[in-house]
Amino acid sequence: MSGFIVFFARFLPELLRGAGLTILLTAEGLAAGFILGLLSALARVYGDKFWRGLAVGYIELFRGTPLLVQLFLIYYGLPGLGITLSRGLSAFLALGLNSGAYQAEYLRGSIIAIGDGQMMAGRSIGMSRWKTIWYVILPQAMRLAIPAWSNEPVSLLKSTAVVFLIAVPELMAKAKSIAAETYDPIGTYLAVAIVYLAVVYLLDAFLRRVERLSRIPGFETEGKKA
């Protein structure tokens, strides 16, 4: 046990550097995914046949195929079409596109939960359709989405581990380098697991606080009565 503690302390700075990139990739992928997810959710709920079909195609494609396949197609497949992307940009696109498909479904469910009455109320006081969506429906839908949506940041953070396969120097890539240097894969990946657990715990605690602060008063009570 003491040997592992010495090992962990020795390589912790390097693992933390990898964890920093992991967190950055998570934040970038989450932000890109949120934009794509919101647009897709709006297209599915309020768009015409063309936009609904486009949104459904995107969501089903990226939810129905593994992230690893998507990453390899972007990094290794696009050069065959004359499009060469850096490792970092490839990782960002794969994570953002994949996350967006999942976020679209979280957001679509919360938008539908608001109901048609809000749209009718907004239109009855002279607001346009899109103004009603932006100022009335979305602020409520965003708050309703948080409990389910809060799974996505944690899931995405763990999913970033696949990008080490294209040599992006995140946490798993650092672990691979340390394991090769020390010939101690068990100790290395145990140390990585501890770092992941700590980061996920802190992220989960933050998301739970956001959920409590954004909860709509009385909504849960009404749901139970129904």
Side-chain angles (χ1 to χ4, degrees):
M1 185 63 181
S2 60
F4 173 74
I5 293 174
V6 172
F7 178 93
F8 185 74
R10 175 187 172 190
F11 290 104
L12 181 59
E14 189 169 351
L15 292 175
L16 290 178
R17 284 193 292 272
L21 183 54
T22 292
I23 293 169
L24 178 61
L25 286 170
T26 302
E28 291 176 342
L30 197 66
F34 178 78
I35 295 170
L36 290 171
L38 180 59
L39 292 175
S40 299
L42 291 173
R44 288 199 67 178
V45 179
Y46 299 111
D48 58 24
K49 185 176 180 180
F50 171 78
W51 291 110
R52 284 199 305 272
L54 189 65
V56 169
Y58 159 65
I59 291 168
E60 294 303 318
L61 174 64
F62 282 92
R63 292 182 71 205
T65 56
L67 174 58
L68 182 59
V69 173
Q70 297 161 20
L71 178 66
F72 278 14
L73 283 174
I74 291 171
Y75 186 65
Y76 294 113
L78 289 182
L81 301 176
I83 304 172
T84 302
L85 303 177
S86 67
R87 292 172 296 181
L89 182 55
S90 297
F92 166 72
L93 287 176
L95 293 170
L97 288 167
N98 183 270
S99 179
Y102 287 94
Q103 292 190 60
E105 291 300 279
Y106 293 131
L107 296 172
R108 182 174 71 93
S110 66
I111 291 170
I112 292 173
I114 297 302
D116 295 332
Q118 299 287 331
M119 176 64 76
M120 294 174 61
R123 297 304 300 275
S124 70
I125 61 173
M127 298 179 72
S128 69
R129 188 165 183 251
W130 287 107
K131 278 190 175 181
T132 303
I133 292 170
W134 185 258
Y135 292 108
V136 178
I137 294 174
L138 281 183
Q140 298 176 76
M142 294 298 101
R143 295 172 72 180
L144 287 180
I146 289 175
W149 176 88
S150 61
N151 293 310
E152 181 61 20
V154 174
S155 176
L156 185 61
L157 186 143
K158 292 183 287 187
S159 296
T160 59
V162 303
V163 305
F164 93 93
L165 293 171
I166 60 170
V168 176
E170 48 73 67
L171 184 54
M172 280 299 295
K174 294 292 186 182
K176 182 181 178 183
S177 175
I178 293 170
E181 177 185 341
T182 62
Y183 300 99
D184 185 6
I186 294 178
T188 300
Y189 292 113
L190 180 58
V192 169
I194 292 171
V195 174
Y196 268 117
L197 280 171
V199 174
V200 168
Y201 175 82
L202 293 173
L203 179 59
D204 187 59
F206 171 75
L207 292 170
R208 287 180 183 276
R209 179 167 178 79
V210 170
E211 181 182 341
R212 287 195 300 271
L213 293 173
S214 62
R215 186 173 294 141
I216 299 175
F219 180 82
E220 296 81 7
T221 303
E222 293 172 7
K224 289 178 182 178
K225 288 180 180 180

